[in-house]
Amino acid sequence: MGYERYAPPPGMPRRRERLALYWKLVRGDRPIGWLLLLWPTWWGLWLAADGVPPLWILFVFTAGVWLTRSAGCVINDYADRWLDPQVERTRDRPLASGAVRGREALALFALLMLAAFVLVLTLNRLTVLLSVVGVLLAASYPYLKRYTYLPQVYLGLAFGWGIPMGFAAVQGTVPPMAWVLYVANIFWATAYDTWYAMVDRDDDLRAGAKSTAILFGELDLVAQAVLYALVFVALALVGRQAGLGVFYWSGLGAAALLVAYEFLLARYRDREACFRAFLHNHWVGMAVFAGIAAELALR
């Protein structure tokens, strides 16, 4: 699970050592977060364009996903520098270990968000305005675990914001279907991040942090089943509203089977198994996207 302490190779030049630490800080070595943000963004872009979106818009959003996810990791670690040293999985992150200073992290966050904003400035005004909301969501999310048991819900709000932005970029408006898809992503992100929170639940309880895993307690698997059911209800509504056919429904069927496997993995709530269930959601997002892309390409 990556609990090992980071140590640069012997003899590494200091500049390369710093870059390696920054790469670790933005989770460049762990693409799962980028992928979980990418799939719903692509869901929205393909549905908004009724097929492959304009290439520049596709590039802006794909690059923007990496930049904003990386920035989110930096600001998350900055906000959690009081908590991460107390959690087994995170105690050796660059900020938690003191290898990177707080002001360095803030400068890196600003640089990444500025690069993402420059890309968005090439799109229409509505998309630019919506991007401001996205910045606020990304910057404020990490602080929620101090005050509410629902930071996973807020993560869904932040991770899915590319959906209304994608519709705005392609269509110049955000139709009701986009908001239904956005809600589907909120449920999905809450569910997969609850698997993640179940990994840290004991450490979070000791440190005084909050999460849905703590809120759900012994009913965590039941709550997860409800959340995933709501994901598929919302996605079914999207499919019906968009008039999607057999390929889309096949994609949803495959995604449902993948989710069932996650429950099989995590049924005993073992830390490693819950982490594997979290990682497995990449395939869920891909299955839904494959259904959308195939349906729009072949109908």
Side-chain angles (χ1 to χ4, degrees), residues 40 53 65 69 78 118 138 161 167 172 175 191 194 200 214 238 244 256 260 270 273:
V65 161
R69 182 262 178 171
Y78 179 81
V118 168
W161 197 245
F167 274 86
T194 297
D200 296 335
I214 294 172
V238 169
L244 302 179
D270 177 74

Side-chain angles (χ1 to χ4, degrees), residues 34 37-48 51 53 58-59 61-63 65 162-163 181 289 292:
W34 177 72
L37 184 53
L38 180 71
W39 293 125
T41 302
W42 278 13
W43 300 348
L45 285 174
W46 255 255
L47 287 169
L58 179 60
F59 169 76
F61 276 85
T62 302
V65 161
I163 293 171
L181 189 63
F289 172 73
I292 294 172

Side-chain angles (χ1 to χ4, degrees), residues 167-282:
F167 274 86
V170 173
Q171 297 185 1
T173 186
V174 185
M177 182 176 67
W179 296 113
V180 178
L181 189 63
Y182 181 54
V183 169
N185 181 76
I186 293 171
F187 286 132
W188 183 44
T190 302
Y192 67 62
D193 204 47
T194 297
W195 291 134
Y196 196 70
M198 288 168 68
V199 177
D200 296 335
R201 179 158 45 192
D202 293 340
D203 291 329
D204 285 345
L205 281 168
R206 285 191 293 269
K210 297 178 172 67
S211 72
T212 49
I214 294 172
L215 176 66
F216 296 152
E218 294 182 355
L219 295 176
D220 48 9
L221 296 181
V222 174
Q224 287 289 75
V226 172
L227 286 169
Y228 276 110
L230 291 171
V231 172
F232 288 107
V233 168
L235 289 174
L237 291 174
V238 169
R240 181 179 178 183
Q241 192 169 358
L244 302 179
V246 64
F247 293 104
Y248 177 72
W249 299 106
S250 297
L252 289 194
L257 290 174
L258 291 167
V259 168
Y261 177 64
E262 292 174 17
F263 280 88
L264 185 64
L265 282 174
R267 64 191 183 279
Y268 299 123
R269 301 176 176 86
D270 177 74
R271 287 167 64 103
E272 284 282 351
C274 289
F275 191 70
R276 287 175 61 198
F278 161 73
L279 294 174
H280 195 257
N281 278 273
H282 155 58

